[in-house]
Structure formats: structure tokens, C-alpha cells
């Protein structure tokens, strides 16, 4: 696993560890966050398993923490797609922290981090009805490339989605 911390004005994105399982479970299992997750989890134990499996992968699985308190307020996962120089990513922010610009700060930092590693293309899939996340992606310079869909496995709901892309020279 690549274990670089990403530090922003207010946040630290650090490797997610087993000890984060309860905090991450609180975020991922909230009905509003889980609603649009294409890969929801069933328990804190499953999060521990994900952390363990991720140790030897080339995927960045980060806990998003407040810089000055260490509180886990979100998660972010990003890494290579099957295209050279392209990263896909997703994120979740604790509901009490919505509307404070944290998601935008996370995504902008991921894009900058990737770009500094030579990544020029970024992609993220977002349910069309998840308007707030779509706005975050647009604030970060991304644009709608095409429509798609995904099935939320727990609810069997199929969401129409926009695939957002960003290319940097």
C-alpha cells in the first residue's frame, strides 16, 4: 500500500486502519451516505477486513480527519483504473460535516496529489439525484462526460448516474 498522508488547510487524509472501523462504520452506515454507495458494507468487521486486504494493494483508502482534532469525518478511496494515467475515486463525509467545504477540499487534494504523481485523468461516478456531490465534482473542475447507472446492492435500487471526468495537461 502507498502510505502518503495528504495534508490540506483543515484536513489530513491518512491511511485507513483497523482502529478506524467504528468511525468509518458510523459514516458508511448512515442512511444518507449509504444510499448512493455502490459497495456498501455490512459491519465494522467488514471494514476491518477491507483495511487488512488493502495493505498490499495500489489503492489509496484514506480516513479523512480534522487536522487539529484528529476526528474522522470522512473517507476517500482512489487509485488506478484500467486506463494509463487515470484514477477513479469516491468519498463519504459524515453528515454533521456536510456543507462546510470538506468534500471539495478532499477531492481537490486528491487531484493535486495524483497530478504530482503523473496522473492526468480523473473519473468519478455520481448518482444524478445526488445533487450536492455533483456540485462538489464540478467545483473541483470536473465535467459530465456521459450517463451511466449503478445498482445499490443492499436496496437493489438502480441509480442513473453521471460519470464526471477531468483531464489535466
Amino acid at each position: 500500500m502507498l502510505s502518503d498522508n495528504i495534508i490540506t488547510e483543515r484536513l489530513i487524509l491518512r491511511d485507513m486502519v483497523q482502529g478506524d472501523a467504528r468511525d468509518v462504520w458510523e459514516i458508511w452506515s448512515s442512511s444518507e451516505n449509504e444510499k448512493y454507495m455502490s459497495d456498501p458494507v455490512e459491519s465494522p468487521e467488514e471494514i476491518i477486513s477491507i483495511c487488512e486486504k488493502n495493505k498490499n494493494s495500489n489503492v489509496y483508502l484514506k480516513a479523512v480527519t480534522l487536522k487539529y482534532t484528529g476526528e474522522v469525518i470522512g473517507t476517500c478511496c482512489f487509485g488506478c483504473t484500467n486506463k494509463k494515467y487515470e484514477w477513479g475515486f469516491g468519498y463519504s463525509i459524515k453528515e454533521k460535516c456536510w456543507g462546510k467545504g470538506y468534500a471539495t477540499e478532499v477531492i481537490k487534494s486528491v487531484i493535486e496529489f495524483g497530478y504530482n504523481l503523473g496522473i492526468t485523468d480523473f473519473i468519478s461516478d455520481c448518482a444524478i439525484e445526488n445533487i450536492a456531490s455533483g456540485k462538489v465534482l464540478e467545483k473541483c473542475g470536473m465535467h459530465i462526460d456521459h450517463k451511466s447507472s449503478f445498482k445499490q446492492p443492499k436496496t437493489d435500487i438502480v441509480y442513473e448516474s453521471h460519470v464526471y471526468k477531468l483531464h489535466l495537461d
Side-chain angles (χ1 to χ4, degrees), residues 6-163:
I6 300 172
I7 300 171
T8 70
E9 182 181 337
R10 303 178 295 167
L11 305 171
I12 297 175
L13 283 67
R14 60 162 174 75
D15 288 342
M16 190 184 301
V17 295
Q18 292 179 3
D20 295 323
R22 290 276 170 212
D23 291 327
V24 172
W25 174 249
E26 179 186 342
I27 296 164
W28 287 359
S29 66
S30 82
S31 61
E32 284 303 306
N33 270 326
E34 185 179 58
K35 182 178 184 177
Y36 300 117
M37 291 179 76
S38 60
D39 55 354
V41 295
E42 297 292 330
S43 67
E45 292 73 29
E46 187 176 350
I47 294 167
I48 291 169
S49 176
I50 290 168
C51 289
E52 191 60 34
K53 287 177 190 172
N54 194 61
K55 283 183 181 177
N56 298 317
S57 83
N58 288 328
V59 172
Y60 292 88
L61 180 58
K62 300 290 188 182
V64 177
T65 64
L66 292 175
K67 193 176 197 176
Y68 297 108
T69 67
E71 177 187 358
V72 176
I73 63 154
T75 63
C76 186
C77 182
F78 52 96
C80 296
T81 67
N82 56 3
K83 293 183 180 176
K84 194 172 184 177
Y85 305 113
E86 181 181 81
W87 273 3
F89 65 85
Y91 66 92
S92 292
I93 301 292
K94 190 182 286 189
E95 284 182 70
K96 77 173 190 173
C97 297
W98 289 359
K100 297 179 180 179
Y102 292 128
T104 302
E105 196 168 329
V106 166
I107 299 311
K108 283 183 176 181
S109 71
V110 166
I111 291 168
E112 180 181 354
F113 181 72
Y115 185 72
N116 288 335
L117 293 175
I119 304 302
T120 56
D121 294 289
F122 300 86
I123 187 168
S124 188
D125 198 356
C126 180
I128 292 172
E129 67 182 61
N130 189 352
I131 295 167
S133 282
K135 287 181 179 178
V136 166
L137 296 172
E138 289 171 1
K139 273 191 224 176
C140 295
M142 301 188 81
H143 67 277
I144 297 169
D145 185 72
H146 63 275
K147 285 188 176 182
S148 187
S149 64
F150 66 90
K151 184 177 185 178
Q152 206 286 1
K154 281 189 175 179
T155 63
D156 284 336
I157 294 173
V158 175
Y159 289 100
E160 296 297 313
S161 64
H162 284 140
V163 176

